[in-house]
Amino acid sequence: MPRYTVHVRGEWLAVPCTDPQLTVGWLGREAVRRYMKNKPDNGGFASVDAVRFLVRRCKGLGLLDNEDLLEVALEDNEFVEVVIEGDAMSPDFIPSQPEGVYLYSKYREPEKYIDLDGDSLTTEDLVNLGKGHYKIKLTPIAEKKVQQSREVIDSIIKEKTVVYGITTGFGKFARTVIPVNKLQELQVNLVRSHSSGVGKPLSPERCRMLLALRINVLAKGYSGISLETLKQVIEAFNASCLSYVPEKGTVGASGDLAPLSHLALGLIGEGKMWSPKSGWADAKYVLEAHGLKPIVLKPKEGLALINGTQMITSLGCEAVERASAIARQADIVAALTLEVLKGTTKAFDTDIHAVRPHRGQIEVAFRFRSLLDSDHHPSEIAESHRFCDRVQDAYTLRCCPQIHGVVNDTIAFVKDIITTELNSATDNPMVFASRGETISGGNFHGEYPAKALDYLAIGVHELAAISERRIERLCNPSLSELPAFLVAEGGLNSGFMIAHCTAAALVSENKALCHPSSVDSLSTSAATEDHVSMGGWAARKALRVIEHVEQVLAIELLAACQGIEFLRPLRTTTPLEKVYDLVRSVVRPWIKDRFMAPDIEAAHRLLLEQKASWLLGLFLSLGLL
């Protein structure tokens, strides 16, 4: 008998269908009837016939025709949503899908696997796991270490030894011994009570990263989780069954308790879950739809699932990877601007940077030399002002190797810390199978990634600060020798006037966001946890800073390409012409004023997809730079 899981006003209902000739409209009415039956006031409806509604798939939100037969329109056990007329404008309306559903509806189950052993995960690996490019499996060595660790826990239970979090309460209740017959309830209560986060849920990509990273830490074999339970967690990841994890609520010690508890809550079949097949639904329905059973927690397993710095670190991975990508592309954008402003290449001379040999500075200077006028890649624009009387350029052009360079070095420093954290055991207590004992410590404290991500935000912000000043130079005719705001018929047209204001606004906002969160600490848990890292906010605001940097550089990229229009028919170097062509493939030249926000978003998308960086890499691989 086919069965459908139907979402009506926040409630999830299982509706069996006995007749294959029944229609989508019948399913909607039956779901509303069941919803009304469960409500004391009939849900505020006079009758089922009085309710006007639409029915749509949860996957992709495609609307269904009420007259279509269920056997034709839907698959068995498919998730659908009944949207009551008027509810979409109600403050109580909760959609079944996260923001950006158009992206998630394209999800395809991966065929490739990544082997996790707890020791060798990279930031690139975790970001790719978040994007859904891979499934997970454990290495045989990891499986053995997990089993050995669990044997220690089983021995503690058998011998009734008093150990924190296994046979005692948590935090201030560490001295409260729990009866053996209550140990399973202790773990469930831990997960339920600690699931106290607020705010929007993590996107599927970020939740997938969080889950993958927790699996990697458990695979190290110091958490005491059973292999059976860990394999159930991996099955949920591989099916893309992702818990509802609010983004706010962690102070970053003792680990990221609130978000990881929400992650575990879905795995035990409580709270909400999301999958590409179901959208948001009750966790028990999502797991069932994928042929999975809720995890039944054994002693220590609730604590094993929620104790660690994985929220800070997984978001930190995304921040590091996006920062690396935008830093590389910032050099390309700045080189294009320098060319449009008829700057000199002398400041990038090899000898200048050899006598101040910071690694990042040398790399950036090399990129500029590779992109700008040279014997290998001559520029007609550079040739047009070769004999001008200008001796040196403004700092925003001349000092790019020094300013961009330290950003590159900052990213490398932070990436090293985050990579170490990815492959670290961050539980408490730690289970050491080789010693046959558990030891309480402080590896859950998030100060390392928190401090690093605060530093990352401060460093990467500078790419936007200097970019905004270059946008000003492009728009200001007294500095650029180009039409005011890069548009013909100024006055009638405003051109890039307000795009520059947007860049200025984002840079100003970044200045406030760059205040370190990790300098703060508030005592929690009745002064047991009396120093915390505030690393969750450090990670979230670092990502926001990086997004603003991307958007500012997208505006500069558009402005620089627009500047080239006024220098035609002169051409720049071959690599920079390719970058210009890339931009023009998605944004046409600015002849007169038009709706500009879509152009900025299109340029931002190019940077997110690293198209300009890919071009540079291609030229380097071919020996053309």
Side-chain angles (χ1 to χ4, degrees):
M1 178 191 303
R3 192 197 75 161
Y4 306 99
T5 305
V6 188
H7 182 236
V8 183
R9 283 190 167 178
E11 300 288 340
W12 286 93
L13 306 163
V15 180
C17 177
T18 56
D19 184 352
Q21 296 302 307
L22 292 172
T23 64
V24 169
W26 171 87
L27 179 64
R29 287 190 298 275
E30 179 63 13
V32 171
R33 186 190 68 77
R34 290 170 181 248
Y35 171 82
M36 291 172 60
K37 183 180 178 181
N38 293 333
K39 297 293 179 181
D41 63 347
N42 288 335
F45 300 126
S47 67
V48 173
D49 294 334
V51 180
R52 298 174 64 86
F53 59 83
L54 297 172
V55 181
R56 63 187 181 189
R57 283 189 177 88
C58 288
K59 182 178 181 179
L61 300 185
L63 285 175
L64 299 169
D65 191 315
N66 285 352
E67 295 180 4
D68 282 348
L69 297 178
L70 288 172
E71 65 176 0
V72 175
L74 296 173
E75 297 177 5
D76 184 22
N77 206 19
E78 190 157 350
F79 286 67
V80 297
E81 182 171 36
V82 173
V83 182
I84 309 297
E85 186 177 276
D87 276 5
M89 302 303 294
S90 165
D92 298 324
F93 176 69
I94 302 174
S96 69
Q97 292 281 7
E99 295 177 7
V101 63
Y102 62 93
L103 298 175
Y104 310 129
S105 62
K106 298 177 182 177
Y107 173 81
R108 295 292 180 269
E109 186 174 323
E111 297 180 357
K112 297 181 179 179
Y113 284 81
I114 281 184
D115 293 330
L116 293 188
D117 58 9
D119 297 319
S120 51
L121 189 66
T122 68
T123 55
E124 296 91 341
D125 288 339
L126 190 61
V127 169
N128 283 327
L129 283 164
K131 291 177 180 177
H133 292 171
Y134 299 99
K135 292 182 179 181
I136 286 173
K137 61 181 177 180
L138 297 179
T139 65
I141 293 176
E143 289 189 0
K144 185 176 181 180
K145 288 193 295 185
V146 169
Q147 288 174 318
Q148 291 172 338
S149 174
R150 185 63 202 180
E151 288 171 3
V152 176
I153 302 300
D154 291 340
S155 176
I156 289 170
I157 304 303
K158 184 177 180 180
E159 296 172 10
K160 299 182 180 179
T161 308
V162 177
V163 177
Y164 171 76
I166 303 175
T167 56
T168 76
F170 310 97
K172 193 68 175 177
F173 297 121
R175 296 182 181 180
T176 303
V177 178
I178 309 300
V180 174
N181 64 344
K182 297 284 188 179
L183 294 185
Q184 183 174 324
E185 184 181 352
L186 172 70
Q187 299 301 311
V188 174
N189 286 348
L190 172 71
V191 171
R192 287 171 176 163
S193 65
H194 286 44
S195 297
S196 55
V198 298
K200 291 182 178 180
L202 295 181
S203 67
E205 288 89 347
R206 290 176 179 172
C207 189
R208 206 179 276 121
M209 288 173 66
L210 178 64
L211 182 55
L213 182 53
R214 191 60 208 163
I215 291 169
N216 190 61
V217 172
L218 294 170
K220 290 186 73 67
Y222 297 102
S223 304
I225 197 168
S226 68
L227 184 59
E228 174 193 4
T229 297
L230 181 52
K231 285 188 173 181
Q232 281 186 273
V233 177
I234 292 171
E235 286 175 351
F237 176 89
N238 289 343
S240 200
C241 294
L242 306 171
S243 302
Y244 187 104
V245 180
E247 63 180 5
K248 300 177 184 179
T250 177
V251 295
S254 166
D256 294 317
L257 290 172
L260 287 171
S261 295
H262 282 278
L263 190 72
L265 190 70
L267 295 172
I268 66 173
E270 299 184 16
K272 301 292 183 184
M273 259 188 166
W274 180 92
S275 80
K277 178 179 180 179
S278 67
W280 288 118
D282 289 347
K284 60 182 179 181
Y285 289 136
V286 178
L287 292 171
E288 183 181 337
H290 292 272
L292 304 176
K293 294 180 179 179
I295 291 172
V296 177
L297 296 174
K298 304 178 183 68
K300 176 62 165 78
E301 291 192 328
L303 193 58
L305 287 170
I306 75 169
N307 208 235
T309 61
Q310 283 66 61
M311 170 79 157
I312 308 170
T313 309
S314 60
L315 295 184
C317 278
E318 181 185 343
V320 163
E321 287 301 303
R322 286 176 67 172
S324 298
I326 198 59
R328 289 191 299 271
Q329 293 174 107
D331 296 342
I332 301 170
V333 176
L336 191 60
T337 295
L338 182 140
E339 182 78 339
V340 171
L341 294 175
K342 298 182 179 179
T344 176
T345 60
K346 292 180 180 178
F348 313 113
D349 188 278
T350 306
D351 288 343
I352 290 177
H353 303 284
V355 296
R356 196 194 191 198
H358 292 295
R359 182 178 299 173
Q361 179 176 329
I362 289 172
E363 288 176 356
V364 173
F366 169 75
R367 288 197 191 111
F368 271 73
R369 290 194 304 273
S370 300
L371 291 164
L372 294 169
D373 180 64
S374 65
D375 292 339
H376 196 52
H377 287 300
S379 164
E380 294 175 356
I381 295 174
E383 186 63 31
S384 71
H385 61 89
R386 188 172 303 282
F387 302 107
C388 68
D389 58 0
R390 188 183 302 169
V391 177
Q392 57 187 20
D393 294 315
Y395 289 1
T396 50
L397 302 176
R398 192 194 335 164
C399 299
C400 281
Q402 292 79 7
I403 298 168
H404 289 204
V406 72
V407 177
N408 282 268
D409 289 340
T410 299
I411 295 168
F413 171 79
V414 174
K415 185 171 184 174
D416 182 63
I417 288 178
I418 295 296
T419 301
T420 298
E421 194 74 7
L422 283 179
N423 297 292
S424 296
T426 54
D427 294 83
N428 186 55
M430 306 285 290
V431 181
F432 291 94
S434 60
R435 296 168 58 169
E437 63 179 313
T438 64
I439 304 176
S440 289
N443 276 6
F444 51 71
H445 202 292
E447 199 73 11
Y448 260 103
K451 279 285 187 285
L453 292 168
D454 277 337
Y455 182 33
L456 181 70
I458 293 168
V460 177
H461 156 73
E462 215 58 44
L463 294 176
I466 192 174
S467 175
E468 182 274 329
R469 290 292 80 203
R470 290 194 297 261
I471 297 169
E472 155 67 10
R473 300 191 77 82
L474 286 165
C475 290
N476 189 333
S478 64
L479 300 174
S480 68
E481 301 177 5
L482 298 169
F485 305 111
L486 301 170
V487 72
E489 295 188 78
L492 175 63
N493 296 299
S494 296
F496 279 71
M497 181 188 295
I498 305 305
H500 172 235
C501 289
T502 297
L506 294 173
V507 168
S508 180
E509 189 171 329
N510 272 2
K511 291 174 183 177
L513 290 170
C514 283
H515 183 281
S517 65
S518 61
V519 299
D520 184 30
S521 176
L522 291 170
S523 180
T524 60
S525 193
T528 302
E529 299 162 5
D530 56 349
H531 183 280
V532 300
S533 71
M534 299 300 177
W537 176 223
R540 288 191 295 112
K541 70 185 183 63
L543 280 167
R544 191 181 300 180
V545 167
I546 292 164
E547 181 178 27
H548 291 167
V549 171
E550 294 164 347
Q551 290 164 335
V552 172
L553 280 159
I555 293 171
E556 183 188 354
L557 179 58
L558 290 176
C561 288
Q562 180 66 11
I564 283 184
E565 305 298 339
F566 296 102
L567 301 179
R568 293 302 194 205
L570 299 178
R571 296 179 64 80
T572 180
T573 64
T574 301
L576 292 180
E577 284 290 342
K578 293 294 184 184
V579 174
Y580 168 86
D581 291 340
L582 176 66
V583 174
R584 288 290 169 253
S585 71
V586 296
V587 177
R588 67 185 189 277
W590 195 269
I591 306 301
K592 61 181 181 179
D593 280 352
R594 65 172 185 262
F595 183 19
M596 194 174 225
D599 291 350
I600 297 172
E601 178 53 35
H604 182 209
R605 180 59 54 187
L606 287 179
L607 296 177
L608 280 176
E609 295 173 355
Q610 302 183 50
K611 294 293 182 65
S613 186
W614 178 84
L615 275 176
L616 178 61
L618 177 63
F619 273 84
L620 286 168
S621 67
L622 295 175
L624 299 177
L625 292 183

